[in-house]
Amino acid sequence: AGLQPPVGTMHYILGHGAQNDLPSIHRAIESFTREQELWLKLAGDEKGAVLDEVIKMQDKPRLVVEVGLYVGYSSTRMASQMKAWGGKVISMEVDPFHAVSA
């Protein structure tokens, strides 16, 4: 309680997500935003499903460039799909706090 959203999200993930299990970590981020009734700058739940569809529609993209990664939800979600065909995600973040949090 009282933690900044990126720090609170990390704390929640450590307690509810399984290490090295991206779907578990994504579910933890989504649960955190629902339970805390917070709006985070991330593509969770339905928005995440749309992001998944866009990646699928692009016929196995080799590279995605993301500007602004906040807690890393979108980038890890895209990368987990693209790993199967060797695709990569490059994320850029100007805020050092968010870069370290992600």
Side-chain angles (χ1 to χ4, degrees):
L3 298 173
Q4 293 296 321
V7 175
T9 305
M10 278 193 329
H11 181 72
Y12 190 91
I13 290 168
L14 291 172
H16 295 85
Q19 185 175 2
N20 299 320
D21 179 358
L22 285 177
S24 168
I25 292 168
H26 293 155
R27 284 190 302 274
I29 293 170
E30 293 161 0
S31 294
F32 176 76
T33 60
R34 280 191 305 272
E35 289 177 17
Q36 300 299 313
E37 297 181 355
L38 292 175
W39 178 86
L40 294 178
K41 297 181 282 186
L42 58 80
D45 292 334
E46 295 87 10
K47 291 179 185 176
V50 170
L51 186 61
D52 293 347
E53 269 312 302
V54 169
I55 293 293
K56 288 177 187 172
M57 290 172 25
Q58 296 305 311
D59 192 30
K60 299 182 180 178
R62 293 169 43 120
L63 178 65
V64 169
V65 177
E66 177 186 41
V67 179
L69 72 141
Y70 197 53
V71 296
Y73 177 90
S74 297
S75 56
T76 57
R77 190 159 179 149
M78 290 184 290
S80 66
Q81 282 192 16
M82 296 169 63
K83 182 179 178 181
W85 57 83
K88 297 188 185 304
V89 175
I90 296 174
S91 297
M92 298 178 281
E93 175 60 62
V94 297
D95 185 323
F97 182 78
H98 291 164
V100 170
S101 297

